[in-house]
Amino acid sequence: MSQAIAVLDFGSQYTQVIARRIRECHVYSRIYPYATSASELRADGVKGIILSGGPSSVLAKDAPSPDRRLFELGVPVLGICYGLQLMGKMLGGTVEPTRQREYGDSLLTIRKKGKLFHGIKPTIHVWNSHGDQMRSLPDGFSTIARTENSDYAAIADEERRFYGLQFHPEVFHTEQGTDIIRNYLYRICGCKGAWSMAEYLETAVERIRAEVGSERVILGLSGGVDSSVAAALIHKAIGEQLICVFVDNGLCRLNEREAVEKLFRENFKLNLRVARAANVFLSRLKGVTNPEQKRKIIGRTFIQVFEREVKRLGNIAFLAQGTLYPDVIESVSIEGNPAALIKSHHNVGGLPKRMKLQLVEPLRELFKDEVRRLGAELGLPKEVLWRQPFPGPGLGVRVMGEITRPRLRVLREADAILLQEMKKSGYYYKVWQSFAVFLPVHTVGVMGDERTYENVIALRIVESIDAMTADWARLPHELLGRISNRIINEVKGINRVVLDISSKPPSTIEWE
Ligand code: XMP
């Protein structure tokens, strides 16, 4: 751990992005609360400290402020945005509000390359977001780069190895931003860059062990990427102390429960309980056609079933969740008291509070691609790691109108054919999602000499980067034809297949 870089969190929405950039440079980083004591940082052997940005103003009365002794550790410090102003002010400079908040792109001109700007072009585009700026620098500091709006866009005291950047090197819009961070890590802090995901796994395992001790942990395993990686990781750390619960709500895809059981119970030897609750879910959904009402019933019932499992097990102290960084919204009050809030997840929101369980969220610092790499390190198969997203309410929001068992059967069979053909053709991994939707509409067809009057299946196949926007995938006509033929021929109750060619917005990906 002697290679660790400490990122002190002053509540910026980019703190995690800084940590990610450091990991991309193959250096271990750890996010600490801003008030962490200098002695703790010294005890952890940190090689460098980064003061993150933050939404507060250093001019505010109760602006969050770090232990001032961290400047006496003899360790390089890099302040970013708020972090720069904080360091500047704490070391004897002055800060003033800018007349106009600087936000977005600006052109940075480097005046002195030094170690921080080694290999960086003389002018680069950088990304800003600040309302204050330095008016005078502390002793020992000088300007190393400026923008049109700021004489102190980058400052340094090379002797003491203190650096400050008014802009955000961690965001994508800053040119060569990662190179600047790499310079700080390698050239200034002397890190070697030997850290890898395998090492992350080791530290994550140690952290989980330290966090939960000998207590038992419960995790709702859905079979999706995040909960699967969290399960495998926590299992590696604490083995039998982890109990996973798969809630079979009767709204799963074909053979989904069996696949989860096979992988986790047989291969991973994980302590897996299956709550067979299809009857409860389906009876409560009887006669319900309103999409929001369906979602509410499914969500509420999930919580009840899960809670019952926890009660039955008794003596559970922790609830594990596969929360990723993008699920975490940094929320900071005006007074500048950083606090992390979890976005209320549509599937398990409210669970921990009600059940008085402590949370374990070992994937909290990671982005999706990192979670996949961690999962690969843990030996999870590609089918799990690259599985398409599947909504919490499952097929419940893919059967239009009332959810009935016969409709679910039809949808499952059609969906399985679509899935099979998508995988066989390789398109499954190229699109964002591909699924079938059951339409409770009867249309006329002919089969042999007979007239049929049966239901319709819609195919929803979309491309997307983040599910915020999406477009329908232009798949080869032969593939679409094969899927349609197979569904109509093989699924009893369907005589027509239609293709959804709407984009999001204005449509959504799911139909409900
Ligand atoms: P929409 O339909 O809003 O969906 O365009 C965007 C993405 O979110 C998924 N989705 C859900 N995921 N619980 C989830 O975990 C849900 O309740 C839920 N609803 C929609 C959807 O599949 C798509 O990827």
Side-chain angles (χ1 to χ4, degrees):
M1 248 254 235
S2 56
Q3 287 276 302
I5 295 291
V7 183
L8 293 199
D9 182 14
F10 290 92
S12 161
Q13 56 179 328
Y14 299 123
T15 302
Q16 307 282 347
V17 185
I18 301 173
R20 177 196 170 108
R21 294 284 172 262
I22 299 172
R23 291 196 292 270
E24 282 173 355
C25 298
H26 302 287
V27 171
Y28 179 61
S29 67
R30 207 175 143 188
I31 295 168
Y32 289 81
Y34 71 88
T36 305
S37 73
S39 49
E40 184 178 338
L41 297 174
R42 184 195 289 123
D44 285 353
V46 301
K47 294 268 285 182
I49 297 168
I50 294 183
L51 311 176
S52 84
S56 326
S57 162
V58 295
L59 301 170
K61 208 168 78 236
D62 41 10
S65 178
D67 181 350
R68 112 179 353 264
R69 286 168 305 173
L70 69 84
F71 296 109
E72 291 152 24
L73 291 174
V75 164
V77 180
L78 170 66
I80 295 175
C81 195
Y82 178 81
L84 169 147
Q85 291 147 15
L86 196 61
M87 177 165 67
K89 185 161 179 280
M90 289 175 80
L91 296 176
T94 49
V95 174
E96 62 183 2
T98 46
R99 249 164 285 128
Q100 207 178 355
R101 216 178 126 77
E102 196 178 12
Y103 186 84
D105 183 67
S106 69
L107 209 56
L108 184 88
T109 306
I110 293 170
R111 303 189 55 201
K112 186 164 177 282
K113 278 208 162 184
K115 288 181 177 167
L116 192 63
F117 292 136
H118 178 90
I120 308 296
K121 293 185 296 182
T123 55
I124 53 170
H125 284 276
V126 298
W127 202 85
N128 300 280
S129 170
H130 61 100
D132 297 335
Q133 62 180 16
M134 296 299 303
R135 187 171 60 200
S136 68
L137 296 181
D139 288 344
F141 276 82
S142 60
T143 295
I144 55 172
R146 54 166 40 134
T147 60
E148 304 125 60
N149 291 326
S150 172
D151 284 339
Y152 305 114
I155 59 172
D157 175 343
E158 305 253 10
E159 181 113 359
R160 285 187 287 176
R161 300 187 294 171
F162 293 161
Y163 296 82
L165 301 174
Q166 185 60 83
F167 59 92
H168 288 274
E170 70 276 21
V171 307
F172 180 72
H173 314 279
T174 292
E175 256 181 288
Q176 293 193 282
T178 305
D179 295 336
I180 298 171
I181 292 174
R182 190 180 294 109
N183 283 340
Y184 174 69
L185 302 173
Y186 290 15
R187 293 177 187 276
I188 296 168
C189 300
C191 298
K192 295 280 187 295
W195 181 85
S196 64
M197 205 30 105
E199 263 182 79
Y200 186 88
L201 174 56
E202 269 175 48
T203 32
V205 160
E206 278 169 31
R207 265 204 258 172
I208 295 166
R209 284 187 188 143
E211 197 177 344
V212 303
S214 58
E215 300 287 355
R216 292 203 299 169
V217 178
I218 194 159
L219 179 144
L221 182 63
S222 69
V225 182
D226 308 343
S227 69
S228 296
V229 174
L233 172 62
I234 300 171
H235 178 67
K236 190 177 172 67
I238 58 169
E240 288 284 297
Q241 278 167 254
L242 171 71
I243 301 144
C244 292
V245 174
F246 178 88
V247 175
D248 184 351
N249 55 11
L251 304 166
C252 304
R253 288 179 154 181
L254 195 68
N255 298 329
E256 202 167 336
R257 189 193 72 223
E258 291 81 353
V260 168
E261 284 183 310
K262 194 165 157 46
L263 175 66
F264 288 99
R265 198 176 275 154
E266 290 176 26
N267 292 12
F268 275 85
K269 307 282 178 228
L270 201 135
N271 190 348
L272 174 68
R273 295 173 66 97
V274 173
R276 292 177 184 247
N279 285 340
V280 191
F281 279 88
L282 297 183
S283 64
R284 289 190 188 170
L285 286 165
K286 214 172 159 93
V288 180
T289 54
N290 179 290
E292 266 314 294
Q293 216 180 334
K294 282 184 187 175
R295 278 176 175 272
K296 281 204 183 104
I297 293 171
I298 298 169
R300 222 171 22 232
T301 309
F302 178 91
I303 291 179
Q304 284 169 5
V305 171
F306 196 81
E307 241 172 345
R308 208 177 50 213
E309 268 324 291
V310 175
K311 272 207 192 103
R312 202 174 284 163
L313 288 162
N315 280 336
I316 303 273
F318 288 91
L319 172 73
Q321 283 187 342
T323 318
L324 309 194
Y325 168 61
D327 304 328
V328 177
I329 304 166
E330 296 299 334
S331 145
V332 182
S333 69
I334 307 296
E335 293 75 46
N337 177 26
L341 257 191
I342 301 156
K343 189 164 61 177
S344 74
H345 196 284
H346 12 224
N347 305 336
V348 290
L351 256 183
K353 231 193 235 157
R354 279 179 55 150
M355 294 173 13
K356 300 199 176 64
L357 293 173
Q358 295 180 69
L359 268 185
V360 196
E361 297 180 307
L363 310 179
R364 239 181 117 80
E365 288 176 7
L366 302 183
F367 290 76
K368 198 83 176 187
D369 58 315
E370 296 180 303
V371 168
R372 292 204 172 101
R373 278 193 283 132
L374 182 63
E377 205 65 54
L378 285 157
L380 285 167
K382 181 184 169 194
E383 290 79 63
V384 170
L385 297 178
W386 291 94
R387 205 180 94 135
Q388 292 176 358
F390 187 62
L395 300 185
V397 289
R398 293 181 182 172
V399 169
M400 303 302 98
E402 187 184 359
I403 302 165
T404 64
R405 283 181 195 268
R407 287 176 174 183
L408 284 167
R409 177 198 57 82
V410 166
L411 177 59
R412 260 188 207 113
E413 287 177 18
D415 190 66
I417 291 171
L418 171 61
L419 193 75
Q420 215 178 48
E421 292 296 333
M422 290 298 286
K423 284 201 170 163
K424 210 160 77 187
S425 62
Y427 276 97
Y428 178 85
Y429 296 108
K430 290 185 196 152
V431 302
W432 175 263
Q433 268 172 300
S434 47
F435 57 87
V437 179
F438 178 92
L439 308 189
V441 179
H442 282 82
T443 73
V444 173
V446 280
M447 263 192 198
D449 293 332
E450 267 179 62
R451 177 182 176 280
T452 57
Y453 191 52
E454 289 174 326
N455 287 117
V456 182
I457 283 287
L459 306 178
R460 183 62 164 152
I461 308 166
V462 296
E463 284 169 352
S464 174
I465 300 291
D466 53 10
M468 300 298 286
T469 61
D471 199 7
W472 58 281
R474 272 62 167 177
L475 293 189
H477 290 175
E478 300 73 46
L479 175 59
L480 291 170
R482 197 160 51 244
I483 294 167
S484 162
N485 269 342
R486 280 197 58 196
I487 292 178
I488 294 169
N489 286 328
E490 296 174 33
V491 182
K492 213 164 162 265
I494 296 298
N495 67 356
R496 193 176 298 273
V497 170
V498 297
L499 180 66
D500 179 349
I501 52 169
S502 349
S503 62
K504 173 182 178 175
S507 301
T508 52
I509 296 176
E510 301 290 343
W511 276 41
E512 283 191 346

